[in-house]
Amino acid sequence: MRASSRSPDLFRVTLLGMRPNPRRDQGFAEYQDAERRAKEDTRRTVCAHDIYLGSRLVATVSAPSFAGKMSVDLTDFGSRYA
C-alpha cells in the first residue's frame, strides 16, 4: 500500500497498556482534543490513559490522587505536540 493511499495518522486515546485500534478508538486530528478526552476518561474511570499518534506513544494521562488533579506525562516524541 502506498503512503499516499493510507489514511492520515490520528491521535487516539486508549487505556494504559492497550495498543491503539482504529475500529475501537475514536481518532482526533488535534492533540488538544485527544488530551481533553483522555482527561475526561481518566477522571471518569480513575484509570490512566495513553495518547498515541499512529502507533507511537505521545503521552500518558493519569490521576495520581482522588483530588481531581490530572498529570500529563509527555514522551520525547510527544513534547513537540504540546
Side-chain angles (χ1 to χ4, degrees):
M1 180 181 294
R2 294 182 14 215
S4 61
S5 64
R6 290 187 309 183
S7 62
D9 286 336
L10 297 173
F11 291 98
R12 299 199 182 275
V13 177
T14 65
L15 279 170
L16 180 68
M18 295 187 69
R19 302 297 296 169
N21 183 342
R23 292 187 179 108
R24 180 189 64 221
D25 305 321
Q26 180 181 0
F28 298 92
E30 298 290 327
Y31 170 76
Q32 288 79 15
D33 296 334
E35 183 177 338
R36 188 176 309 115
R37 174 64 182 267
K39 285 181 178 180
E40 290 171 3
D41 289 352
T42 299
R43 185 174 291 114
R44 187 173 34 111
T45 63
V46 193
C47 295
H49 284 70
D50 288 333
I51 301 172
Y52 284 90
L53 177 62
S55 62
R56 295 191 66 180
L57 180 64
V58 175
T60 299
V61 179
S62 60
S65 69
F66 288 104
K69 183 173 175 10
M70 296 291 138
S71 171
V72 179
D73 300 319
L74 294 167
T75 62
D76 290 336
F77 174 70
S79 64
R80 67 181 82 163
Y81 295 104

